[in-house]
Amino acid sequence: MASRAKATIFDIAREAGVSKSTVSLVLQGSGLIRPETAVKVRKAIEDVGYVYNRGAANLRKAHSNVIGMVINDLTNPFFAELAVGMERVFQSAGIVPFIANTAENPVRQEEVLKSLMEQGVAGLIVSPARGTTPGAFRRLELAGVPVVFAMRRLPESRIPVIAPDNHRGAYLAAAHLIAKGHRRLAFFGGTSDLVVYQERLGGFREACETLGISARDVLVVEGETNRRGGLACLDTALTMAEPPTAALCFNDAVAFGVMLALRKRRLEPGPDFAVVGFDDVVEAEHYMPALTSVAVDTAGLGERAAHVMLKLIQSRTTRAEDHVGAVNLVVRESCGPDLRTRNRPTGTGGAA
């Protein structure tokens, strides 16, 4: 019998009295092998002390059945919902999804990408961390590993992107606030090095300009894309001589932080300051007050990204068309009353 440390597939084949290819099929879980033969091979594996190195085997195959889902911030409920949409598709296709959280750290992201590539991953769906350069994915592209970007795109990158219509969503949100009578508006959260920030801010600015809001009445406050960022943005805005009366937030997490900051100041989100988020995570509907938000069909985008990845793998290519998902504004209580009618007699005003 071969020693445990040096046992090979040849040792298993000899022990079980079968061919090397039969052993390989059993190790891969193939259904082509008769059950009684598979049992005999598995017993031989135990007898010779063979340890199957799945990572090395994957590198020898055209591709593995593992797909990496590399997410920039899994603490944000939006990205958790996005990942669930992807995972649903992969599981039904018999694919093993591997989820990694980079916490907006490009160094951590590089480590994850390198590790997954060494494991022979079949493909990668990535929401790039802040500060990612297009060169970060060059090695994957040269190796022919399919990559799909979810939610975030990189400038000058040819990698296919699955993302919502950020510009239109922000335009709809700003237009809604202006229609409710707000004339001093703010955009809270996000940073200029993110393409998605530029898209959302661009839609916000276009609505303000088109609908007659002066540039001096538009406040832009950059910040973290989480609750902490929302708290800081609101505090900054309220120190202004003429503070805004409403804000579109980079995402729902920032909006939740803004509403917390308002409450700390004994102000009520909605009646005292209108708040709109972006993403429409599940929590938005159940928040107090319920958050008006740009809905982007989070799970649907995740499912689309997964389907695109499966198609890339099956067709052995790395090129696909970008997908821009539809958006709509879901109006709830966080926008408060219509400023143009709030002082009219009861029954003439809005409360959406």
Side-chain angles (χ1 to χ4, degrees):
M1 183 183 296
S3 67
R4 177 175 292 272
K6 295 182 179 180
T8 69
I9 287 179
F10 292 103
D11 297 322
I12 301 169
R14 185 169 52 251
E15 183 77 15
V18 298
S19 68
K20 173 179 171 288
S21 59
T22 297
V23 175
S24 295
L25 287 170
V26 172
L27 288 170
Q28 293 168 26
S30 172
L32 299 174
I33 304 301
R34 289 184 299 175
E36 57 270 28
T37 302
V39 169
K40 186 164 59 172
V41 170
R42 290 193 190 99
K43 183 178 185 305
I45 288 171
E46 288 186 23
D47 290 344
V48 303
Y50 177 81
V51 177
Y52 183 40
N53 186 334
R54 186 171 297 277
N58 285 340
L59 287 172
R60 291 191 295 270
K61 292 164 62 179
H63 60 75
S64 69
N65 69 332
V66 177
I67 291 177
M69 295 158 46
V70 184
I71 307 299
N72 60 294
D73 184 10
L74 278 174
T75 65
N76 182 333
F78 170 81
F79 288 105
E81 291 174 26
L82 186 77
V84 167
M86 297 180 204
E87 192 174 34
R88 186 181 302 129
V89 172
F90 289 143
Q91 286 185 342
S92 63
I95 295 290
V96 180
F98 178 91
I99 304 176
N101 179 36
T102 61
E104 294 286 19
N105 185 334
V107 175
R108 168 61 180 158
Q109 178 178 268
E110 175 62 24
E111 292 171 350
V112 170
L113 294 177
K114 181 183 177 187
S115 176
L116 288 171
M117 192 173 176
E118 289 173 352
Q119 292 299 316
V121 69
L124 290 162
I125 299 179
V126 184
S127 182
R130 180 185 168 194
T132 300
T133 62
F137 296 90
R138 193 157 293 131
R139 187 168 59 155
L140 288 161
E141 291 183 275
L142 291 173
V145 177
V147 180
V148 172
F149 285 155
M151 296 307 299
R152 293 180 174 180
R153 67 181 72 240
L154 295 181
E156 302 176 12
S157 173
R158 296 181 299 169
I159 292 172
V161 181
I162 309 298
D165 193 337
N166 291 305
H167 188 280
R168 174 169 170 74
Y171 187 102
L172 291 173
H176 178 71
L177 291 171
I178 294 167
K180 291 179 76 68
H182 293 280
R183 290 295 175 265
R184 294 193 306 279
L185 278 68
F187 185 93
F188 288 160
T191 51
S192 58
D193 57 342
L194 291 173
V195 175
V196 61
Y197 170 88
Q198 300 290 355
E199 292 172 344
R200 293 180 182 179
L201 179 59
F204 172 79
R205 286 193 186 280
E206 183 180 323
C208 290
E209 182 179 348
T210 302
L211 300 174
I213 304 300
S214 169
R216 63 183 175 81
D217 291 323
V218 174
L219 175 67
V220 176
V221 185
E222 292 191 17
E224 295 180 66
T225 57
N226 51 33
R227 282 174 169 79
R228 186 168 57 245
L231 285 160
C233 287
L234 191 280
D235 287 344
T236 296
L238 294 189
T239 62
M240 309 293 290
E242 290 186 279
T245 60
L248 167 61
C249 300
F250 176 80
N251 61 19
D252 288 348
V254 172
F256 295 146
V258 168
M259 291 201 280
L260 286 171
L262 286 166
R263 290 258 168 75
K264 286 186 176 182
R265 291 174 175 263
R266 299 185 184 278
L267 297 173
E268 187 62 23
D272 295 322
F273 190 98
V275 183
V276 181
F278 207 115
D279 293 338
D280 195 32
V281 299
V282 172
E283 188 181 354
E285 181 181 0
H286 305 290
Y287 213 78
M288 294 293 290
L291 176 65
T292 295
S293 185
V294 178
V296 303
D297 186 17
T298 315
L301 287 172
E303 291 172 2
R304 172 62 72 105
H307 281 301
V308 169
M309 175 53 65
L310 291 176
K311 187 174 181 180
L312 290 176
I313 292 171
Q314 290 163 2
S315 60
R316 297 185 179 276
T317 183
T318 59
R319 293 287 171 261
E321 294 294 322
D322 291 349
H323 171 76
V324 180
V327 298
N328 67 285
L329 185 67
V330 180
V331 178
R332 302 190 180 99
E333 290 79 17
S334 68
C335 283
D338 191 321
L339 297 188
R340 299 167 302 176
T341 59
R342 68 190 303 175
N343 294 323
R344 295 179 185 176
T346 302
T348 63

